[in-house]
């Protein structure tokens, strides 16, 4: 049994991959807040790569951040692909247009999105291309895409904190919306550096865990918490 990520992986397949590889270790060693800390830890390292003009540092750290995010969604039983599609059905979640016209039209109130499942992307790469059509990389700088990712990561962390404090359904729904925004912004950065997230994940996870190469992962707690690119 050798789980691997294919270049044409779907988001759903990748979510199952992270469960198969890291589900046991995550349940044993990490709570939701711990995983959120790791999402932020590697996300900020990825942003440091942007500041230093190091695209390799950016993509590797953002892939690890995205993997922690996927693991966290597994732990709270959220279907990422489903929630991303419902939030961004080939249109901006705020102005309901493709491409986004929020800035051009100074849209001040959220418009209702309509879902046409005939347009639904199939693979993770298809979703990345969808986000590039909604939010074209050519319309903003890489720095801007990075700042937007940092902003949405902070909002996701806040949503996690509030839900873990209140434990109510409305806060959980807010968490789900922020998780979809996090995916959008992660793919936005990859669009800005002109790199396929799915293809890079297939290189990184070509043989089980990218570090110990076992299934399930057998990296110990110290290895995991001190890991860095």
């Amino acid at each position: 049994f050798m789980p691997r990520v294919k270049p044409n992986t779907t988001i759903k397949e990748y979510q199952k991959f992270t469960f198969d590889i890291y589900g046991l270790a995550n349940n044993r060693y990490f709570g939701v807040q711990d995983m959120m800390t790791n999402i932020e830890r590697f996300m900020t390292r990825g942003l440091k790569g942007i500041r230093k003009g190091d695209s390799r540092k950016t993509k590797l750290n953002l892939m690890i951040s995205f993997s922690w995010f996927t693991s966290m969604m597994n732990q709270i039983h959220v279907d990422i692909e489903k929630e991303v599609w419902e939030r961004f059905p080939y249109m901006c979640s705020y102005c309901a247009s493709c491409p986004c016209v929020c800035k051009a039209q100074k849209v001040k109130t959220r418009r209702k999105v309509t879902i046409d499942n005939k347009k639904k992307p199939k693979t993770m790469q298809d979703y990345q291309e969808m986000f590039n059509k909604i939010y074209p990389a050519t319309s903003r700088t890489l720095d801007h895409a990075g700042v937007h990712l940092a902003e949405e990561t902070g909002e996701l962390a806040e949503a996690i904190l509030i839900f873990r404090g209140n434990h109510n359904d409305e806060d959980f729904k807010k968490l789900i919306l922020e998780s979809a925004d996090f995916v959008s912004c992660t793919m936005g950065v990859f669009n800005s550096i002109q790199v396929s997230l799915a293809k890079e994940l297939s290189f990184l996870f070509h043989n089980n865990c990218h570090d110990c190469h076992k299934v399930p992962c057998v990296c110990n707690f110290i290895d995991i918490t001190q890991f860095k690119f």
Side-chain angles (χ1 to χ4, degrees):
F1 178 52
M2 185 181 292
R4 59 184 296 272
V5 178
K6 300 175 292 183
N8 64 341
T9 187
T10 66
I11 296 176
K12 192 178 294 291
E13 287 170 343
Y14 184 69
Q15 189 167 2
K16 183 179 185 304
F17 169 86
T18 57
F19 177 79
D20 291 340
I21 301 297
Y22 299 112
L24 178 61
N26 288 333
N27 287 335
R28 183 172 291 166
Y29 297 134
F30 301 100
V32 171
Q33 199 63 54
D34 301 319
M35 289 194 277
M36 187 67 234
T37 296
N38 280 296
I39 293 168
E40 294 173 303
R41 179 163 68 112
F42 288 98
M43 182 275 298
T44 53
R45 289 178 181 172
L47 297 186
K48 186 175 182 179
I50 292 176
R51 180 173 64 81
K52 292 195 168 186
D54 187 340
S55 61
R56 180 178 182 276
K57 186 180 186 72
T58 296
K59 71 181 182 181
L60 287 173
N61 281 288
L62 291 188
M63 280 194 288
I64 298 300
S65 176
F66 185 72
S67 296
W68 276 107
F69 164 78
T70 307
S71 291
M72 185 175 74
M73 293 297 102
N74 279 332
Q75 196 162 94
I76 59 177
H77 303 280
V78 172
D79 183 333
I80 300 171
E81 186 173 306
K82 172 180 176 294
E83 301 304 338
V84 168
W85 174 242
E86 290 184 359
R87 179 75 160 163
F88 299 96
Y90 238 102
M91 60 184 68
C92 172
S93 63
Y94 198 84
C95 68
S97 297
C98 181
C100 170
V101 296
C102 287
K103 186 175 181 180
Q105 296 185 7
K106 296 182 173 57
V107 179
K108 295 182 179 180
T109 57
R110 188 178 295 277
R111 298 171 180 172
K112 184 178 180 180
V113 300
T114 56
I115 298 176
D116 180 0
N117 284 320
K118 293 179 181 179
K119 296 181 178 180
K120 185 178 180 180
K122 294 181 179 179
T123 67
M124 185 183 292
Q125 178 60 30
D126 291 339
Y127 272 95
Q128 185 174 335
E129 291 171 4
M130 178 191 77
F131 280 119
N132 199 37
K133 290 178 181 177
I134 301 172
Y135 308 110
T138 54
S139 67
R140 61 184 177 183
T141 65
L142 174 57
D143 286 350
H144 183 268
V147 169
H148 198 182
L149 174 59
E151 177 187 346
E152 293 300 341
T153 304
E155 291 181 4
L156 175 61
E158 182 179 25
I160 289 288
L161 187 64
I162 292 172
F163 171 68
R164 299 295 287 176
N166 296 334
H167 294 103
N168 67 53
D169 291 341
E170 286 304 311
D171 290 331
F172 190 72
K173 290 176 183 177
K174 175 66 173 175
L175 187 165
I176 289 173
L177 296 179
E178 296 299 348
S179 71
D181 290 347
F182 176 84
V183 174
S184 167
C185 290
T186 297
M187 290 189 173
V189 172
F190 276 84
N191 281 327
S192 290
I193 61 176
Q194 299 182 316
V195 170
S196 167
L197 174 58
K199 187 175 291 185
E200 292 298 326
L201 287 171
S202 75
F203 294 150
L204 185 64
F205 294 106
H206 68 280
N207 181 16
N208 307 324
C209 172
H210 64 88
D211 197 29
C212 70
H213 304 298
K214 301 292 185 181
V215 53
C217 168
V218 296
C219 296
N220 63 45
F221 183 77
I222 298 301
D223 290 337
I224 297 169
T225 56
Q226 295 185 356
F227 180 83
K228 65 174 61 178
F229 276 120

